[in-house]
Structure formats: structure tokens, C-alpha cells
Amino acid sequence: MHLGILLELMRHHIDEIEELFKKKDNHFMVETGDLAVLCYELMLENGGSIDDILMRCFDRYDRKLESLLKEIDS
């Protein structure tokens, strides 16, 4: 039940972020922060460590970005 509510709130924030961004309304950044908080809540409620998960994600992002840059340089 709570998971469903969190996911619905996330979807709502994504829609709102897209709408605000298209309007060039910088409030989209606050809504993005709200989305991050909801994501953190989801991680914590399911026994995740925010630090561990974010470090893993940043490492993955770095590898993907490096790969994309290599493709552009080729």
C-alpha cells in the first residue's frame, strides 16, 4: 500500500518537473528535490543504504559517461 503511494507521488512529481521545465520555471528544481526525498524514503524503507546506493549509481554513471565520450571521440 505505502509503496503504491510513494510510486504515485513520484510519478506526479515527474510530470510536474517536466511541465515546469518546459515553462522555464526554475521551481522544477525544488520539485526534483522532492522527488529525491521520495526516492530516499523508498530506499530506506526497504533496508537500503542511501550512501551505498548513491556511490554505486555514481560509479555506474561515470562508466556510462566515459563509454559515451569514447563513442563520440571515435
Side-chain angles (χ1 to χ4, degrees), residues 5-64:
I5 293 170
L6 277 176
L7 293 174
E8 186 57 36
L9 286 169
M10 289 176 181
R11 285 184 198 97
H12 173 76
H13 277 81
I14 291 168
D15 291 343
E16 192 168 4
I17 291 164
E18 287 179 333
E19 182 180 315
L20 291 168
F21 187 82
K22 287 177 185 174
K23 292 179 181 178
K24 299 183 190 297
D25 183 336
N26 282 340
H27 185 70
F28 82 90
M29 289 190 268
V30 173
E31 296 301 327
T32 301
D34 289 346
L35 178 59
V37 170
L38 290 168
C39 291
Y40 296 153
E41 182 177 354
L42 183 61
M43 288 181 230
L44 291 172
E45 286 188 3
N46 287 281
S49 163
I50 292 172
D51 290 339
D52 291 345
I53 293 167
L54 289 180
M55 287 304 298
R56 183 176 175 189
C57 292
F58 281 124
D59 287 344
R60 291 173 60 206
Y61 177 79
D62 283 342
R63 286 192 306 273
K64 289 176 183 178

